[in-house]
Amino acid sequence: MRFENKIAIVTGAGQGIGEAYARALAREGAAVVVAEISEENGQRVAQEIVGTGGRALFVKTDVSSPESAANLAARAVEVFGGVDLLINNAAIFAGMRRESLLEVDYAYYQRFMEVNMNGALIVTRAVYKLMVERGGGAIVNQSSTAAYEAGNYYKIAKTGLNAITIGLARELGPLNIRVNGVAPGPTDTTATRTSVPPERLQALLSTLPLRRIGTTQDIVNTCLFLLSTDAGWVTGQTWCVDGGAVLKI
């Protein structure tokens, strides 16, 4: 029960890794705000957490909107009394367009970057003062090993997010708020199965030192460590959880 009496927000918590984060935090004692743009998915996750004895609240949230993020923060205070922990997980991934930088529709590109990169900053700006009121907190931003490869706007967004993690860690550290990132490699989720062709996924897995696809629990384990007091002197870092996909000095 590492997070007993803590209040956590998880964006994009209606499915996949975000859902796994929300459920894991609830199991370890946190009250969880399920911030999700899909009302159906968000309500389902929150209700199922409550149904198993946990505390959860669904708030329909568009992380690209400062107004929506402000409402998210206000609802967390209204129902649970504040915010201690934040996981910026929301992203456009399942079903995303795979087009070149020179050809992708610019309005789509702008929307994509607002969600996948700037959303973490927008939600952090909305909640960090609430963390300060409770003595500090911890934030984890969901990156990707794609950040370490050349490629399209998804990779660019995650590279930018890593830089945002570093910048926020420097600014929020004096306020006793730690900011880190998790960069999953290929992970067994519905989004991966529907967005990555099977032959491409198998080719990728064959190059990994650990030779298997990741599970959501692999990612959850690292994220919860970074949120916990066990990582109390860790900030500004993005940890690759990827079976060895990214090997760097």
Side-chain angles (χ1 to χ4, degrees):
M1 303 297 284
R2 287 176 291 182
F3 305 107
E4 191 170 11
N5 299 320
K6 297 295 185 181
I7 301 148
I9 292 175
V10 183
T11 69
Q15 61 183 337
I17 298 174
E19 178 178 347
Y21 286 152
R23 293 180 182 277
L25 283 164
R27 284 195 300 270
E28 293 209 30
V32 180
V33 181
V34 176
E36 168 64 47
I37 199 166
S38 166
E39 187 165 354
E40 179 181 359
N41 288 344
Q43 288 281 21
R44 174 184 57 80
V45 173
Q47 289 171 1
E48 290 176 359
I49 289 173
V50 172
T52 56
R55 293 183 296 157
L57 165 72
F58 163 66
V59 180
K60 185 176 177 65
T61 306
D62 177 356
V63 300
S64 72
S65 164
E67 294 77 18
S68 185
N71 176 67
L72 169 64
R75 289 287 288 146
V77 172
E78 178 185 349
V79 176
F80 292 132
V83 179
D84 301 291
L85 309 170
L86 169 63
I87 302 177
N88 285 309
N89 168 76
I92 298 170
F93 179 66
M96 64 177 267
R97 298 183 189 178
R98 296 183 179 276
E99 300 168 358
S100 77
L101 286 169
L102 297 178
E103 296 176 351
V104 64
D105 178 75
Y106 193 67
Y108 179 83
Y109 172 83
Q110 287 181 304
R111 170 67 178 167
F112 190 93
M113 299 300 280
E114 283 298 293
V115 173
N116 287 37
M117 184 177 72
N118 295 330
L121 176 60
I122 289 168
V123 178
T124 298
R125 285 165 58 116
V127 307
Y128 82 92
K129 291 180 181 178
L130 302 177
M131 293 182 174
V132 172
E133 290 174 2
R134 292 173 65 86
I139 299 170
V140 170
N141 295 327
Q142 184 87 338
S143 183
S144 169
T145 53
Y148 304 99
E149 305 169 3
N152 68 8
Y153 35 89
Y154 181 77
K155 303 171 191 297
I156 293 171
K158 293 304 185 180
T159 301
L161 181 59
N162 290 354
I164 288 172
T165 296
I166 292 170
L168 288 174
R170 179 175 291 277
E171 290 192 30
L172 294 177
L175 301 177
N176 196 33
I177 299 173
R178 298 182 300 104
V179 187
N180 291 292
V182 171
T187 306
D188 189 14
T189 64
T190 300
T192 297
R193 291 191 293 271
T194 57
S195 299
V196 182
E199 62 277 8
R200 181 180 174 188
L201 180 60
Q202 287 305 314
L204 175 58
L205 296 178
S206 70
T207 68
L208 299 183
L210 296 185
R211 295 294 197 277
R212 70 167 175 86
I213 195 168
T215 68
T216 54
Q217 192 60 47
D218 290 323
I219 314 305
V220 166
N221 292 341
T222 299
C223 182
L224 265 58
F225 166 73
L226 290 172
L227 290 175
S228 76
T229 55
D230 289 338
W233 210 44
V234 179
T235 197
Q237 309 300 310
T238 295
W239 288 27
C240 292
V241 188
D242 62 359
V246 176
L247 300 176
K248 55 183 180 175
I249 298 175

